[in-house]
Amino acid sequence: MRADTKILLTEKEMPTVWYNIQAHMPNLPPPPLNPRTGQPVTPEDLLPIFPLELIKQEVSTEPYIEIPEEVQQLYRLFRPTPLFRAHRLEKALDTPARIYYKYEGTSPAGSHKVNTSIPQAFYNKQAGIKRLATETGAGQWGSALSMACSFFGLECTVYMVKVSYQQKPYRRSLMRVFGAEVIPSPSPLTQAGRAVLEQSPDSPGSLGIAISEAVEDAASREDTNYALGSVLNHVCLHQTVIGQEVQAQLAKVDEAADIVIGCCGGGSNFAGISFPFVRDKILKGTKTRIIAVEPAACPTLTKGVYAYDYGDVAKLTPIMPMYTLGHDFMPPGIHAGGLRYHGDSPLVSQLLKDGLIEAVAYPQTQVFEAAVLFARTEGILPAPESSHAIKAAIVEALRCKEAGETKTIVFCLSGHGHFDLSAYDDYLTGKIQDYEYPERLVKEALANLPKVEL
Amino acid sequence: MRADTKILLTEKEMPTVWYNIQAHMPNLPPPPLNPRTGQPVTPEDLLPIFPLELIKQEVSTEPYIEIPEEVQQLYRLFRPTPLFRAHRLEKALDTPARIYYKYEGTSPAGSHKVNTSIPQAFYNKQAGIKRLATETGAGQWGSALSMACSFFGLECTVYMVKVSYQQKPYRRSLMRVFGAEVIPSPSPLTQAGRAVLEQSPDSPGSLGIAISEAVEDAASREDTNYALGSVLNHVCLHQTVIGQEVQAQLAKVDEAADIVIGCCGGGSNFAGISFPFVRDKILKGTKTRIIAVEPAACPTLTKGVYAYDYGDVAKLTPIMPMYTLGHDFMPPGIHAGGLRYHGDSPLVSQLLKDGLIEAVAYPQTQVFEAAVLFARTEGILPAPESSHAIKAAIVEALRCKEAGETKTIVFCLSGHGHFDLSAYDDYLTGKIQDYEYPERLVKEALANLPKVEL
């Protein structure tokens, strides 16, 4: 009799705290710097755009932070999420490894992003804020925040990169169903947007420009705050419900993870599945290998430098200590839009620097090949971002086969690919290409790092 | 302390049998007739296109039919599905009613259709068949069968109504990810398709034509069978896992359903949630109201006649006893494509005739209004088809409010609307219209019923 396919937790077994890795890291990242003064960012610098509770979480060194009851109730719409044993994928690979995947695509907005959009909307509502502004690229984060705002009766304005706004009408429509206002960026509504439009009226937009518009919007209105879907410490914190659940689920079937895998763009999904396992490495000396997977076309952790850099092109965000390809680096137009970011979470960067985690990069044709095998065996159509984790899990499972080792591999399937089917179409018809490591572009971008010693 | 949001079953609690309502109906439907001879259909008539096991299920009067272990294993990829308590929708309606919904959209293909595509593929594989042919309109059924075929290593050819093939590229792509061949219908590959194309080279296609193409394909190749996603008895049978699970889930929270609701096109989703409750009405005398919900633009059960009629425009299928608007009736282009069918399941029709169930119809603007309220409160974006059930549940909940009654309402949320966002876009921008009951068209179509007494 074979093991269950899904390992489930009851709602009573859902974590009631977030895990804050800042309490246990051997080295904390250096402080973010104010882009105007070059001095460490103060809470006062952040209050015009973030509520105090989130600013506190950003710098907290408490190991566990309680999840407010109202947030827990909303988590229960989709949490705890299932942990699947990939019986059919294992069989297709003919591997002795046991592969598990944590599926976050059962959340109504389709990805793990909802784990942080709900508490962010909650704390803003609590602080008396009426409206949130944010940016979105492919639309995962915009959808998640729109949903959370509709739950709390907050208005929501999403600056959506114009080329995505035009090419991904379904994501745009989903945000509107949730009641959000979706604005193609660059827009004439902000100074930042107008400046770009004057220069190039046909600009397709970029995440950097959209961030500038959303921050300006939030900073200029008393009733409005800004919300970010990755990179920051409080965002990584909220995502740790994922890894905590995985640990409880593995315990139910008497398993210990030998390898934990997450795809990594800004770092929040990777943080979510991995930080509780990093804790056990630090506190209990477990030997789990923890792998961040990124696209070969945007290899921040594997080929970037560790330095102070801006979070956006327009240099409006704090200067952060992180692995970066340079804020001027424009990643090639790969289909995993959520992984097209020049930098990375300072927490994730520090853990890599300290050797507690490792990083690998794969080109997108190999990633799509893995995704299609996964869909045909396990049924779920994975998001291109999440498929990076599938690829790495397959590589490790095949290594086990070669070595005759029975390892336990766990990865996070952070979202479904229901809005990414044109990318699959391109893959199936041979229209997807790989990009060489863009060495020259990275070199040029790295020349423009801010002149701040780390 | 309020009740859980989700009521879950473990995999061990999943039903191991399908429930066959033919064992308990006070009156069985009259037999289907061979369209060429006018005589009752024999197993021999069906063997060229269906495997023997499914033909046996079609006419069985055994109350319970065991679900093969291999089918159960694949069901475990997504079953048991959650039953949600709609706390937030109840609050928005300010109703004393308790509303529950069974969510079938967690299946990898996005709807309940997978409950029957998996056993259909299994029995065909077992019978030595190498390839299945089918038709699909909007694509839910085509996706579900493609997935099941990929699980069993069967080839799959889907004749997709041409206008959907062009307008719903994402559904088409999903089928291709699962390895299916997707052919716009009418196609030059079949006699039926060529006949249409000669008459009108620009034909947008119809479900009737696509059925003819798939049946011809299956009948003309030794290695190929045909598969249907609704209407037939064995399809309704397979869907009863839904209602059986709901009963087990309600029992866990000490609830008894006062009202059970399902949307109804061909009838398989409605059968799935309701047949186990109909059984309890027949055998135990429970007083549950059981409501089938259909679009006002295609009001088969509420305004059709009970008669012998063809299942398709081309008159290739058996003549079936059912509520029908006439096989010549072309329903208006409403967005709930899965409910645009002139006829209905003979089993569902007989139950309505015998007063064991009731039927209502709603126009689509009211249905979309209900869908958006549902998305904004419960988070899940519902399929337009499933939203008919939401509308009916809201109507009943508001009646409870008016009457001050605390009833328990359960409906089936048969699928998500991730591939229907252009319809939501149309609704949000005021581009959706309602259709008057197409009385003249129905009258004309009913004049063409086959001349067979019932």
Side-chain angles (χ1 to χ4, degrees):
Chain A
M1 169 102 192
R2 86 178 186 174
D4 279 3
T5 300
K6 299 182 297 300
I7 301 146
L8 302 175
L9 300 175
T10 66
E11 292 181 6
K12 290 189 182 55
E13 294 170 302
M14 192 173 75
T16 57
V17 293
W18 292 302
Y19 168 60
N20 180 17
I21 201 163
Q22 294 184 81
H24 298 134
M25 291 171 79
N27 302 296
L28 282 176
L33 308 178
N34 184 312
R36 287 182 305 278
T37 65
Q39 295 301 307
V41 167
T42 65
E44 289 69 37
D45 290 341
L46 299 174
L47 268 175
I49 58 167
F50 291 118
L52 186 60
E53 281 304 315
L54 290 178
I55 297 171
K56 281 192 198 160
Q57 290 179 1
E58 193 64 19
V59 297
S60 169
T61 52
E62 286 299 312
Y64 299 99
I65 294 173
E66 209 165 310
I67 306 175
E69 175 54 30
E70 209 173 331
V71 172
Q72 288 192 45
Q73 278 187 17
L74 287 167
Y75 275 177
R76 285 185 205 121
L77 288 172
F78 58 98
R79 303 212 73 83
T81 61
L83 181 73
F84 283 84
R85 171 80 183 270
H87 288 295
R88 296 176 49 80
L89 177 63
E90 289 171 18
K91 201 172 158 194
L93 297 173
D94 189 23
T95 174
R98 290 189 295 276
I99 307 175
Y100 292 86
Y101 57 96
K102 178 71 166 169
Y103 186 37
E104 292 289 306
T106 57
S107 94
S111 81
H112 68 292
K113 294 283 183 191
V114 179
N115 297 328
T116 187
S117 70
I118 290 174
Q120 288 194 46
F122 169 80
Y123 288 118
N124 275 292
K125 176 78 177 187
Q126 220 185 23
I129 288 297
K130 303 275 179 249
R131 178 170 167 274
L132 289 179
T134 196
E135 72 289 328
T136 201
Q140 290 269 26
W141 168 242
S143 312
L145 191 68
S146 303
M147 192 187 82
C149 285
S150 92
F151 287 166
F152 287 102
L154 292 171
E155 290 174 51
C156 183
T157 294
V158 182
Y159 293 88
M160 185 173 190
V161 175
K162 195 179 272 174
V163 61
S164 297
Y165 181 92
Q166 288 158 346
Q167 288 175 356
K168 299 221 169 188
Y170 272 21
R171 276 278 174 206
R172 188 179 81 196
S173 310
L174 182 58
M175 291 183 257
R176 286 183 174 150
V177 169
F178 289 130
E181 174 187 37
V182 188
I183 296 169
S185 165
S187 81
L189 303 180
T190 65
Q191 225 169 337
R194 285 191 296 273
V196 175
L197 288 173
E198 265 165 41
Q199 288 282 325
S200 45
D202 298 328
S203 164
S206 76
L207 214 44
I209 299 165
I211 292 178
S212 307
E213 290 206 271
V215 170
E216 180 186 328
D217 179 322
S220 62
R221 283 180 56 165
E222 194 66 35
D223 66 350
T224 301
N225 264 348
Y226 171 69
L228 192 65
S230 192
V231 179
L232 298 180
N233 300 353
H234 68 269
V235 181
C236 294
L237 174 80
H238 299 154
Q239 294 294 352
T240 58
V241 286
I242 302 174
Q244 290 182 75
E245 284 183 10
V246 169
Q247 291 187 326
Q249 286 164 314
L250 288 175
K252 286 208 168 197
V253 288
D254 280 326
E255 286 271 23
D258 296 305
I259 303 174
V260 171
I261 299 170
C263 66
C264 195
S268 78
N269 155 71
F270 174 73
I273 186 149
S274 73
F275 281 7
F277 289 94
V278 176
R279 171 193 58 197
D280 291 354
K281 278 183 96 156
I282 298 170
L283 300 185
K284 303 183 192 167
T286 55
K287 301 285 176 215
T288 315
R289 283 179 60 208
I290 299 173
I291 307 174
V293 193
E294 55 185 19
C298 188
T300 314
L301 297 173
T302 49
K303 303 232 172 154
V305 299
Y306 185 74
Y308 263 122
D309 196 5
Y310 297 99
D312 67 333
V313 183
K315 306 185 190 178
L316 289 177
T317 71
I319 305 173
M320 288 178 296
M322 58 183 179
Y323 281 92
T324 179
L325 298 164
H327 60 273
D328 279 342
F329 172 64
M330 179 67 83
I334 54 168
H335 288 279
L339 306 183
R340 287 181 69 231
Y341 187 61
H342 70 276
D344 222 303
S345 144
L347 294 176
V348 170
S349 297
Q350 185 71 45
L351 293 173
L352 180 66
K353 190 161 168 286
D354 290 345
L356 283 159
I357 63 169
E358 48 192 291
V360 292
Y362 293 105
Q364 64 177 352
T365 52
Q366 292 181 30
V367 168
F368 274 101
E369 186 186 16
V372 169
L373 174 63
F374 186 81
R376 291 184 183 176
T377 50
E378 295 292 318
I380 298 170
L381 183 86
E385 290 83 356
S386 321
S387 302
H388 286 74
I390 298 174
K391 168 66 186 172
I394 289 175
V395 167
E396 294 298 334
L398 292 176
R399 271 186 199 145
C400 286
K401 180 180 175 181
E402 212 159 298
E405 288 177 323
T406 307
K407 284 188 180 163
T408 301
I409 301 169
V410 184
F411 69 89
C412 188
L413 188 68
S414 52
H416 63 61
H418 298 170
F419 301 103
D420 301 287
L421 274 159
S422 61
Y424 278 94
D425 239 2
D426 286 352
Y427 170 69
L428 291 172
T429 53
K431 284 187 207 134
I432 278 190
Q433 58 164 314
D434 286 331
Y435 298 90
E436 302 247 330
Y437 167 55
E439 194 167 358
R440 188 182 54 80
L441 297 176
V442 172
K443 206 169 158 192
E444 283 171 19
L446 290 178
N448 294 330
L449 290 183
K451 306 286 172 277
V452 188
E453 288 272 326
L454 230 188
Chain B
M1 168 98 195
R2 86 177 186 173
D4 279 5
T5 300
K6 299 182 296 299
I7 301 146
L8 301 175
L9 300 174
T10 66
E11 293 181 6
K12 290 190 180 55
E13 294 170 302
M14 192 174 75
T16 58
V17 293
W18 291 303
Y19 168 61
N20 180 16
I21 201 164
Q22 294 184 82
H24 298 133
M25 292 170 80
N27 301 295
L28 283 176
L33 308 179
N34 184 314
R36 285 183 306 278
T37 64
Q39 295 302 306
V41 168
T42 64
E44 289 68 37
D45 290 340
L46 299 173
L47 268 175
I49 58 168
F50 290 119
L52 186 60
E53 281 304 316
L54 291 179
I55 297 171
K56 280 192 200 160
Q57 290 179 1
E58 193 64 19
V59 295
S60 169
T61 52
E62 286 298 313
Y64 298 100
I65 293 174
E66 209 165 309
I67 306 175
E69 175 54 30
E70 209 173 333
V71 172
Q72 289 192 46
Q73 279 188 17
L74 287 166
Y75 275 176
R76 285 187 204 118
L77 288 173
F78 59 99
R79 304 211 73 85
T81 60
L83 180 74
F84 284 85
R85 171 81 183 268
H87 288 296
R88 296 175 50 81
L89 177 62
E90 289 171 19
K91 201 173 159 194
L93 298 173
D94 189 23
T95 175
R98 291 189 295 277
I99 306 176
Y100 292 87
Y101 56 95
K102 176 72 166 170
Y103 186 38
E104 292 289 305
T106 56
S107 93
S111 82
H112 68 292
K113 294 284 183 190
V114 179
N115 297 328
T116 186
S117 71
I118 289 174
Q120 288 195 44
F122 169 79
Y123 288 118
N124 275 291
K125 176 78 177 187
Q126 221 186 21
I129 288 296
K130 303 273 179 254
R131 178 171 168 273
L132 288 179
T134 197
E135 72 289 329
T136 202
Q140 290 269 27
W141 167 242
S143 311
L145 190 68
S146 303
M147 192 188 83
C149 285
S150 93
F151 287 165
F152 287 102
L154 293 171
E155 290 174 54
C156 184
T157 293
V158 182
Y159 293 88
M160 186 174 190
V161 175
K162 196 180 271 175
V163 61
S164 297
Y165 181 92
Q166 288 158 345
Q167 288 175 357
K168 298 223 169 189
Y170 273 20
R171 275 279 175 204
R172 187 179 80 197
S173 310
L174 182 57
M175 292 184 257
R176 286 185 175 148
V177 169
F178 288 130
E181 175 188 34
V182 187
I183 296 170
S185 164
S187 82
L189 303 180
T190 65
Q191 224 169 337
R194 283 191 298 272
V196 175
L197 289 173
E198 264 165 40
Q199 288 283 325
S200 46
D202 297 328
S203 165
S206 76
L207 214 44
I209 299 165
I211 292 179
S212 307
E213 290 207 272
V215 170
E216 179 186 328
D217 179 323
S220 64
R221 281 181 58 166
E222 194 67 33
D223 66 348
T224 301
N225 265 349
Y226 171 68
L228 191 66
S230 192
V231 179
L232 299 181
N233 300 354
H234 68 268
V235 181
C236 294
L237 174 80
H238 299 155
Q239 294 295 352
T240 58
V241 287
I242 302 174
Q244 291 183 73
E245 284 183 11
V246 169
Q247 290 187 326
Q249 287 165 314
L250 289 176
K252 287 210 168 198
V253 288
D254 280 324
E255 285 272 24
D258 296 303
I259 303 174
V260 171
I261 299 169
C263 67
C264 195
S268 77
N269 154 71
F270 174 74
I273 186 149
S274 73
F275 281 6
F277 289 94
V278 176
R279 172 193 56 198
D280 291 355
K281 278 183 95 156
I282 299 170
L283 299 186
K284 302 182 192 168
T286 55
K287 302 283 176 216
T288 315
R289 283 180 59 207
I290 299 174
I291 307 174
V293 193
E294 55 185 19
C298 188
T300 314
L301 297 173
T302 48
K303 304 232 173 158
V305 298
Y306 185 73
Y308 262 122
D309 197 6
Y310 297 98
D312 67 333
V313 183
K315 307 184 191 179
L316 289 176
T317 70
I319 304 174
M320 288 177 297
M322 58 183 178
Y323 281 91
T324 178
L325 298 165
H327 60 273
D328 279 342
F329 172 64
M330 178 69 82
I334 55 168
H335 287 279
L339 305 183
R340 287 180 71 232
Y341 186 61
H342 70 276
D344 222 303
S345 144
L347 293 176
V348 170
S349 297
Q350 184 70 45
L351 292 173
L352 180 65
K353 190 160 170 288
D354 290 344
L356 283 160
I357 63 169
E358 47 192 293
V360 292
Y362 294 106
Q364 65 177 350
T365 52
Q366 292 182 29
V367 168
F368 273 102
E369 187 187 14
V372 168
L373 174 63
F374 186 82
R376 290 185 184 176
T377 51
E378 295 293 317
I380 297 170
L381 183 85
E385 290 84 357
S386 321
S387 302
H388 286 73
I390 299 173
K391 169 65 186 171
I394 290 174
V395 167
E396 294 298 333
L398 292 177
R399 271 187 200 147
C400 286
K401 181 180 174 182
E402 213 161 297
E405 289 177 323
T406 306
K407 285 189 180 163
T408 301
I409 301 169
V410 184
F411 70 89
C412 188
L413 188 68
S414 52
H416 63 62
H418 298 170
F419 300 103
D420 301 287
L421 274 159
S422 61
Y424 278 94
D425 239 2
D426 286 351
Y427 170 70
L428 292 172
T429 52
K431 284 188 207 132
I432 278 191
Q433 57 165 315
D434 286 330
Y435 298 90
E436 302 247 333
Y437 166 53
E439 196 169 353
R440 188 182 53 81
L441 295 176
V442 171
K443 207 170 156 190
E444 283 172 19
L446 289 179
N448 295 329
L449 289 184
K451 306 284 174 273
V452 188
E453 290 273 325
L454 231 188

